[in-house]
Amino acid sequence: MSSSYSPLGVHQSGMRMAAPTPRSYNSPYEESSIKNGKRFNNKSQFTPSCSPPNSISPPFYSRNRTHLSDESKDDSNRSFDFGGRPTLHRNNILPSGSVDPLSGEITYTFDRIVAEGVFEIFAKDKSGCHFLQEHYPEEGTALRYRLFGMLEDNEGFFEEMCKDVFANFFVQRMIEKSTRSEQKLIAVWLSKSMFELCMNRYSCRVIQKAIEHLPDDMKVPLLRELKSADLVMLTVDQNANHVIQKIFHSFDLYHWSFIITALLENTFFSAVENKYGCRVIQLAIELLSETKSDQRYNDVPERGIREVLLEQVMGKLLENCERLSSNEFANYVIQHVITAGCLSKYRDLIIEKCLLGKLLSMSQEKYASHVVEKALEHASTPMLREMMDEIFDGYVPHPETKKDALDILLFHQYGNYVVQRMLIICSSVIEHRLEEGPRGHWLIRLEGKIIRNTGKLSRYSSGKKILDMLRSARGQPAINHGAVYSSPHKNFSYTQVNHDYYHPHDLSFNNARIPDMYR
């Protein structure tokens, strides 16, 4: 059996049920960022999750923008076209005499811009694009026909506008105001290069706007264009993943079920272990598991498809739960399954098949320790008993030092958070999932262990937190160790007692299920 050591040098090789040294599936095991007792789960690297305002992660904003706002003026001048090549966009020089030198207002009319063939110059300029959006021709006017005629005659110009940092806002304006005949033209233009448009930073917004406004008989063929595309690349791309999530929200399940089927076949790990792909998988699980009164969810064939796909996705997660729990991004998917009430059956299976018997080793891993915390927080009463019993009595103490699993976790850079979660559960006055007997017994054992190690714990910021949490559980004022909180908290709770313990990314997962989302 391999040997591992705690920060205090506690040998674990003789411990029953101790799992092997934590493995890393993507990169060598890395040291966490610990500052003032905080543990970071790489939240700072996360960017906006998806397009819909109520989508998956709350701190994230919508990628669909208001086109008549000044946002088009403030957008970044740098984009990444399909292929990852950076392209620097600069303001075009508007024609001489088109701008009043005193007021800075554009003096040309929309009609003159089209007639003189300078439409492209205006569309790709900050102020010019804003002007074109404000003066968009009314429906049924000759100028409106001339505009669409110009776009139809210039092959490739519409796609070029979609990918431009400023002109894409005008295209979105066109989609919002289009008539049915104009929608047919727009759908044809988009269908010629759906994959490339999804992958681009700016045109992916146009695709999402088209999904919002085009009728079903026109946008469903656009979705079919993606069936032969590289769905994994769309799922893990920082731009295209927003389109995939928009599709999930906007289409009936039988239209996008092929995406989940394709990911399940050979490329599931490429998606779920990816920074952006994990969001797509999480959203799919949410939509497949939720129950709605909407008539489309009462359709028997669709309900059958949902159940089959959910079983397949959850089967993949359960088979590889330990690996995914230890992954930098996939651990959030496991956390979601544990915390979602409608997935309680799978939550218990994850605890039983993945966590029990490995709690000590997983609690010492950077990402898996978050999963252990969520499991303790949301476990059913029988599962919580088993988890607590394993941590307290499931491992044989070291024959020489007599240190047990709780001694190791108390002083571990990640394991100490699991101990804090155990304290919260034992001391909670809000959540009465257990009768007073077990909670009181566990609290007494924790209290004894902490008191015996008070001197050593007071040397570490995390130890000082644990000591203050114990005092708070007793109703005693916290000792001011220079932490961010100083006032006593008699009502012992997660957010009140320990602000440093708050994880930004956890909020995204919780609010995403409320729902909003982002994560």
Side-chain angles (χ1 to χ4, degrees), residues 90-193:
R90 299 188 182 279
N91 289 345
N92 290 320
I93 300 177
L94 297 181
S96 177
S98 63
V99 180
D100 188 297
L102 298 178
S103 64
E105 299 292 332
I106 294 178
T107 58
Y108 276 27
T109 62
F110 199 112
D111 193 351
R112 183 177 178 183
I113 292 172
V114 175
E116 295 188 3
V118 292
F119 178 83
E120 180 177 358
I121 297 176
F122 275 82
K124 294 182 178 181
D125 177 79
K126 282 186 179 181
S127 57
C129 177
H130 198 70
F131 175 84
L132 293 176
Q133 294 176 66
E134 289 181 327
H135 298 83
Y136 190 75
E138 294 294 330
E139 178 183 340
T141 59
L143 181 56
R144 183 87 159 251
Y145 289 115
R146 287 171 58 195
L147 172 63
F148 275 82
M150 175 191 66
L151 294 175
E152 191 171 12
D153 293 340
N154 296 304
E155 185 176 357
F157 179 49
F158 181 83
E159 179 181 349
E160 187 178 341
M161 289 178 60
C162 291
K163 295 181 178 181
D164 186 78
V165 62
F166 303 120
N168 79 88
F169 290 103
F170 179 77
V171 176
Q172 293 181 58
R173 180 69 171 167
M174 288 176 57
I175 294 173
E176 287 180 335
K177 297 293 185 179
S178 57
T179 62
R180 183 165 180 83
S181 58
E182 293 169 348
Q183 288 173 341
K184 290 181 179 179
L185 285 174
I186 291 173
V188 171
W189 294 336
L190 292 176
S191 65
K192 294 179 180 179
S193 53

Side-chain angles (χ1 to χ4, degrees), residues 60 84 124 172 192 282 288 402 457 497 509-511:
F60 307 148
K124 294 182 178 181
Q172 293 181 58
K192 294 179 180 179
Q282 181 185 330
L288 291 172
K402 305 302 180 183
L457 288 171
V497 175
F509 272 80
N510 291 337
N511 285 5

Side-chain angles (χ1 to χ4, degrees), residues 271-329:
V272 75
E273 295 181 341
N274 177 266
K275 180 177 181 179
Y276 305 103
C278 70
R279 303 170 184 168
V280 174
I281 298 297
Q282 181 185 330
L283 178 59
I285 293 173
E286 287 182 355
L287 296 178
L288 291 172
S289 61
E290 67 184 359
T291 55
K292 290 188 176 181
S293 58
D294 196 313
Q295 183 62 35
R296 61 177 180 164
Y297 285 89
N298 296 326
D299 181 71
V300 175
E302 176 153 332
R303 189 166 64 246
I305 296 173
R306 291 174 65 217
E307 292 173 355
V308 170
L309 286 178
L310 181 61
E311 283 290 334
Q312 291 176 350
V313 173
M314 298 310 301
K316 283 280 189 180
L317 294 180
L318 288 170
E319 289 173 9
N320 305 275
C321 181
E322 186 176 356
R323 165 180 175 173
L324 299 179
S325 297
S326 302
N327 181 264
E328 181 179 5
F329 304 112

Side-chain angles (χ1 to χ4, degrees), residues 30 33 48 59 118 131 157 159 176 242 250 423 492 494 517:
E30 59 183 27
S33 300
V118 292
F131 175 84
F157 179 49
E159 179 181 349
E176 287 180 335
H242 300 292
S250 305
L423 262 175
F492 190 84
Y494 173 36
M517 3 255 267

